[in-house]
Amino acid sequence: MNNIHIATIIIISANVIISLKGFNDFSFFEKYKFNIGGIRRGEQVRMVSAGFLHADMSHLLFNMLTLFFFANVVINEVGVTRFVIIYVVSLILGNLLSFYFHKDEYQYSAVGASGAVMGILYSAILFYPDMGLYLFFIPIAIPAWVFGMAYLLYSIYGMKKRLGNIGHDAHIGGAIGGYALTLLFAPYLLETNWWIVALLAIPLIILFVMHKLGYI
């Protein structure tokens, strides 16, 4: 693995510093977390700041480890500037999708870099769909494209059933950001990896159809 890029170090450091501040300062955490009521009062900074706060240390560690392992894949393919764009846009799209689905739930709150990290992960999957992912101590590598499809479908199911204390919609919004921007920055993937582009579009189409039909 290549040395971690300075941009990744800066992003991880910002997440760690701001999250630790939030762990130890309740008023800070409440002021900058994603909250529908606060955003509807005009506190738009929450759309971005929430992406640097985490619920606990395990939440922070999981997101930052995922970013650490996949950041260089994306940087090596599209460059550091576009990597940062994918990260930030995926973060914002994840929160925008959460806002869209929960806009009338004034108490709804969320935190975490999951949307941004999912954008980076899905970008990496588009470039290297056959790379192996080891999950939850499973000794057999799972092809990245299988994980990508399965996770999006699970997130759609989680949205519908409201499973756990997880922002499934933010994950999907982030994945959409990573998917769309990667194809914008590397349109040759539509030819070289057309099959994975098509497969990863299927869950997004399912989400759109289910929403139109009123199931989500």
Side-chain angles (χ1 to χ4, degrees), residues 126-127 129 183 186-197:
L126 284 169
F127 287 114
L183 295 181
Y188 63 85
L189 291 173
L190 291 166
E191 296 182 8
T192 59
N193 284 356
W194 63 268
W195 62 277
I196 190 61
V197 172

Side-chain angles (χ1 to χ4, degrees), residues 43-61:
E43 299 165 8
Q44 304 302 328
V45 67
R46 293 174 182 266
M47 283 286 197
V48 176
S49 60
F52 293 90
L53 289 168
H54 288 81
D56 52 41
M57 190 60 74
S58 62
H59 185 206
L60 173 64
L61 182 62

Side-chain angles (χ1 to χ4, degrees), residues 11 19 70 74 84 109 117 124 132 139 155 157 162 168 182 195-197 209:
I11 290 173
S19 292
F70 294 100
V74 178
V84 173
S109 298
V117 173
S155 293
Y157 177 76
R162 301 206 169 199
H168 297 286
T182 299
W195 62 277
I196 190 61
V197 172
V209 171

Side-chain angles (χ1 to χ4, degrees), residues 100-117:
Y100 176 77
F101 281 110
H102 300 281
K103 58 183 176 293
D104 295 323
E105 302 170 41
Y106 283 73
Q107 298 304 314
Y108 181 86
S109 298
V111 291
S114 299
V117 173

Side-chain angles (χ1 to χ4, degrees), residues 161-182:
K161 297 295 185 179
R162 301 206 169 199
L163 295 178
N165 188 26
I166 300 172
H168 297 286
D169 31 27
H171 293 174
I172 295 172
I176 292 172
Y179 178 90
L181 283 174
T182 299

Side-chain angles (χ1 to χ4, degrees), residues 87-189:
Y87 185 91
V88 173
V89 171
S90 296
L91 186 161
I92 294 171
L93 281 180
N95 284 335
L96 282 174
L97 195 65
S98 289
F99 183 83
Y100 176 77
F101 281 110
H102 300 281
K103 58 183 176 293
D104 295 323
E105 302 170 41
Y106 283 73
Q107 298 304 314
Y108 181 86
S109 298
V111 291
S114 299
V117 173
M118 290 300 293
I120 297 301
L121 175 60
Y122 275 82
S123 178
I125 290 173
L126 284 169
F127 287 114
Y128 296 101
D130 292 325
M131 63 180 169
L133 302 181
Y134 291 88
L135 304 172
F136 304 113
F137 306 105
I138 298 174
I140 301 174
I142 300 172
W145 70 268
V146 173
F147 171 80
M149 283 200 68
Y151 197 89
L152 275 184
L153 291 171
Y154 170 75
S155 293
I156 293 171
Y157 177 76
M159 282 178 64
K160 180 173 174 55
K161 297 295 185 179
R162 301 206 169 199
L163 295 178
N165 188 26
I166 300 172
H168 297 286
D169 31 27
H171 293 174
I172 295 172
I176 292 172
Y179 178 90
L181 283 174
T182 299
L183 295 181
L184 177 66
F185 294 149
Y188 63 85
L189 291 173

